[in-house]
Amino acid sequence: MAGTVEDNLRCPACLDIFQDPVILLCSHSFCYVFVRQWWEQKGDQSCPVCRKRCQSTDPFSNLALRKVCKAFTQDSVELNDICSSHEEELNLFCEDHQEVVCIICRDEEIHAGHKFRALDEAARESRVSFLNRVSFLHNIVGSRKNNRDERIQHSEVIKLQREQIESKIKKTFEEFHRFLQVEESARLAAVRKDEEADNQRIKKDTEILDRDIATLSDVIKSAEELLTISGHVSFMKNFKTAMSRIQEVNWHSLCIFNSPLSQIDHVGNLKFHVWERMKETVSYSPVLLNPNTACSEMSLSEDLTSVTLLGKCPTSFDLEEWPMPKYVHGYVWGFPSDVGWRTWDVEVGDNNAWHVGVEYQDDDDQDHELRISFYDGKYICSSYLKKIHDPPMKLQRIRVHVDPAKRLLSFSDSLTKVELYSTYSKGHNYWKDYDESGLLLPIFYTGHPKMPLQIIPLRPRVELVSFDGKVVSSKPTKKKKKKKKKTRADI
């Protein structure tokens, strides 16, 4: 019977005998401290039990319940609440030693100069702090579960990407003869190896998250069991150990790393990489389009050398109203670290709206564009909107020449070799703020759905380079046959 009465006098939030109880309009009673804390966390005045909204922002004090709880507390002092040394009630808390003491212990030499607080006050604040930690643990578990689910979903995305890459690889290898099946198998194995590596990383992360979740769940379980302890003494005796266990938990979530499988590594310039065996049947593209930078309005060819606009062609183009284009970034193998300059040709044909150029970063990591554009029948260079001299005939091919070391970028007619624009035009260098350690990427945009921009392939060649870096020959050397010395018999 006593246990039933005591249970009815406990706050449903803090599970302790009511301290300063208040009653809500829904007739539920709580400790005032926990009601205010609940309302601050939720941002509204709702009951923690039935979730019914309260109109008043200041709950009514339950005086009758306060008197009953006070009387019950005075009459139910347990043996565990008595000091074993002085047989006095344990009603103080030593902050220096973090232990419960009686009034006689306070005056002993071992506690000289220490700071003491009322036990009920210290217990209330400790419970509030402990509840906050437990709530934080629940949030950590939720974060871990979300990270695990994202990794599992990313594994499915990788699987789809792997299937797409495999399809392109198989189609490329159909052009080769049977003796190249070994190369095809090697390429497929490379894709599966990357997929396996990513899956292994995801599996490892998932295992770590599962272990974290299990550990946190154990900590939460033990913490919640501690919260069910009604007595202040038992609670405070175990509080320090439990709080230390919570503080030892690693709060930092794993950084999400969702890297897509690189189509460039597996598909880009694929024919060129097998050219040593099939050089007569392949071509080499100096620039590849990066599919990870293409928006939904753009469609790239399977060999990543042309881009087409999806949709309707605009009837006219206005320099002031034309929206900022969404570029497709190009990728140049080893550029600009291995060789100082690069040149590539772009087939624009009869396309009446396009951009071709490069994007680079300055010393402050700010992005800049250097490009040549054509729209509304006008040729414009760069974002400086400088009109160039109109060529006598519409340009069909644009040659882009880039030399970062010399801060040189030039555009010319690929067919006539006539220069259209250069960053050194008229003595001005608009590329002087380029940071050589920053990014330098080709950019492409087409505004015509029926006229793609096509990167012109090159015929591959071999250059034999000596140890001092000089080019010996552009063709494979052939061994010279030694002349047979004429003997007296031949004569």
Side-chain angles (χ1 to χ4, degrees):
M1 183 66 180
T4 303
V5 174
E6 182 179 352
D7 292 340
N8 292 330
L9 296 180
R10 293 186 182 278
C11 173
C14 65
L15 302 179
D16 196 6
I17 301 299
F18 280 103
Q19 300 288 337
D20 192 12
V22 294
I23 185 170
L24 305 182
L25 295 179
C26 58
S27 300
H28 290 117
S29 297
F30 303 92
C31 291
Y32 177 78
V33 174
F34 290 97
V35 171
R36 299 303 305 179
Q37 182 186 12
W38 173 269
W39 286 358
E40 291 177 0
Q41 291 179 351
K42 297 299 180 181
D44 59 7
Q45 286 75 39
S46 62
C47 175
V49 175
C50 64
R51 302 296 192 271
K52 185 175 180 180
R53 292 181 58 85
C54 303
Q55 300 298 329
S56 176
T57 58
D58 190 13
F60 299 100
S61 179
N62 195 335
L63 298 179
L65 182 59
R66 179 190 298 178
K67 292 180 180 180
V68 173
C69 293
K70 183 176 182 181
F72 179 83
T73 303
Q74 293 175 353
D75 296 338
S76 60
V77 177
E78 301 178 0
L79 294 178
N80 195 32
D81 297 342
I82 301 299
C83 178
S84 60
S85 301
H86 308 103
E87 296 184 356
E88 293 288 338
E89 181 182 356
L90 297 171
N91 54 8
L92 297 176
F93 181 72
C94 176
E95 293 188 348
D96 295 271
H97 283 170
Q98 292 290 302
E99 63 179 5
V100 182
V101 297
C102 69
I103 192 170
I104 299 178
C105 294
R106 179 189 61 181
D107 299 330
E108 291 184 344
E109 183 179 356
I110 191 175
H111 293 290
H114 288 184
K115 184 178 181 180
F116 296 89
R117 299 180 62 187
L119 178 60
D120 57 348
E121 179 184 352
R124 281 198 301 270
E125 291 189 5
S126 298
R127 287 180 182 273
V128 171
S129 174
F130 202 66
L131 281 173
N132 291 335
R133 287 294 182 178
V134 173
S135 177
F136 186 57
L137 287 178
H138 282 291
N139 294 334
I140 293 296
V141 171
S143 177
R144 292 290 196 276
K145 291 180 178 179
N146 290 336
N147 288 344
R148 180 189 59 186
D149 294 341
E150 289 180 3
R151 279 160 173 75
I152 294 175
Q153 293 175 0
H154 184 59
S155 178
E156 296 297 325
V157 174
I158 292 177
K159 180 180 178 181
L160 293 176
Q161 291 178 330
R162 188 259 300 170
E163 293 174 351
Q164 295 174 357
I165 294 175
E166 284 185 344
S167 176
K168 293 180 180 181
I169 292 175
K170 290 178 181 179
K171 186 174 182 179
T172 301
F173 274 92
E174 287 175 357
E175 301 176 7
F176 300 147
H177 296 289
R178 188 175 299 273
F179 69 91
L180 287 178
Q181 291 179 352
V182 175
E183 181 71 14
E184 180 182 8
S185 299
R187 293 292 170 178
L188 295 177
V191 176
R192 292 192 175 95
K193 183 178 179 181
D194 284 354
E195 182 195 22
E196 180 64 22
D198 284 348
N199 285 334
Q200 288 295 331
R201 182 167 57 251
I202 292 174
K203 181 179 179 181
K204 183 178 179 181
D205 290 349
T206 304
E207 292 175 353
I208 294 174
L209 291 171
D210 286 335
R211 289 196 297 269
D212 286 352
I213 291 172
T215 302
L216 291 171
S217 298
D218 292 342
V219 174
I220 292 173
K221 183 178 178 180
S222 60
E224 291 177 342
E225 290 175 356
L226 180 60
L227 289 174
T228 60
I229 298 176
S230 60
H232 296 326
V233 176
S234 299
F235 175 81
M236 295 307 296
K237 286 183 176 180
N238 294 279
F239 169 77
K240 184 177 180 180
T241 302
M243 181 59 76
S244 299
R245 188 179 179 190
I246 290 178
Q247 292 175 345
E248 291 175 359
V249 175
N250 179 20
W251 311 115
H252 302 287
S253 299
L254 292 176
C255 182
I256 300 175
F257 181 69
N258 298 332
S259 60
L261 292 178
S262 176
Q263 296 189 34
I264 293 177
D265 291 340
H266 298 289
V267 183
N269 283 331
L270 183 58
K271 291 183 179 180
F272 178 76
H273 291 309
V274 298
W275 170 60
E276 292 180 349
R277 301 159 111 185
M278 294 291 292
K279 60 183 179 182
E280 295 83 4
T281 63
V282 302
S283 61
Y284 170 70
S285 177
V287 175
L288 294 173
L289 303 178
N290 190 345
N292 293 330
T293 63
C295 63
S296 58
E297 301 173 358
M298 298 294 176
S299 174
L300 305 186
S301 61
E302 289 190 357
D303 60 356
L304 307 178
T305 61
S306 68
V307 54
T308 305
L309 176 69
L310 301 176
K312 296 182 179 180
C313 179
T315 55
S316 62
F317 300 96
D318 189 343
L319 179 62
E320 301 296 334
E321 297 180 359
W322 200 22
M324 181 62 66
K326 299 178 181 179
Y327 297 116
V328 177
H329 287 108
Y331 181 87
V332 184
W333 291 92
F335 181 68
S337 60
D338 61 343
V339 179
W341 57 269
R342 280 288 192 274
T343 299
W344 59 89
D345 293 351
V346 182
E347 182 81 37
V348 297
D350 294 329
N351 195 319
N352 60 352
W354 48 264
H355 294 290
V356 174
V358 297
E359 183 179 271
Y360 71 94
Q361 288 184 340
D362 59 17
D363 299 332
D364 298 326
D365 294 334
Q366 297 294 323
D367 294 332
H368 298 273
E369 301 169 9
L370 294 171
R371 54 179 167 79
I372 184 172
S373 307
F374 178 74
Y375 45 86
D376 200 21
K378 301 176 182 177
Y379 292 97
I380 303 294
C381 267
S382 279
S383 56
Y384 308 102
L385 300 180
K386 290 181 175 293
K387 187 175 182 299
I388 66 174
H389 177 70
D390 291 332
M393 299 179 63
K394 189 177 184 301
L395 300 176
Q396 298 294 310
R397 288 188 180 182
I398 302 297
R399 172 162 295 177
V400 183
H401 178 78
V402 183
D403 191 342
K406 297 181 179 180
R407 302 295 195 273
L408 173 63
L409 171 68
S410 65
F411 302 103
S412 59
D413 186 345
S414 176
L415 300 179
T416 63
K417 306 298 187 295
V418 175
E419 185 178 275
L420 303 172
Y421 181 80
S422 173
T423 51
Y424 276 101
S425 297
K426 298 181 180 180
H428 296 287
N429 182 11
Y430 297 105
W431 204 3
K432 58 184 179 180
D433 55 354
Y434 167 65
D435 180 9
E436 292 186 8
S437 62
L439 292 175
L440 179 59
L441 299 173
I443 55 175
F444 303 87
Y445 173 82
T446 174
H448 199 295
K450 296 182 180 180
M451 296 292 175
L453 296 184
Q454 173 71 48
I455 301 171
I456 305 301
L458 302 176
R459 297 297 300 176
R461 65 176 183 175
V462 173
E463 289 185 349
L464 301 179
V465 182
S466 62
F467 288 104
D468 58 358
K470 296 181 179 180
V471 177
V472 178
S473 174
S474 61
K475 295 182 180 180
T477 58
K478 295 182 180 180
K479 292 183 178 180
K480 296 182 178 180
K481 294 182 179 180
K482 293 183 179 180
K483 293 183 179 180
K484 186 179 179 181
K485 294 183 178 180
K486 293 183 179 181
T487 63
R488 191 176 294 272
D490 295 329
I491 299 174

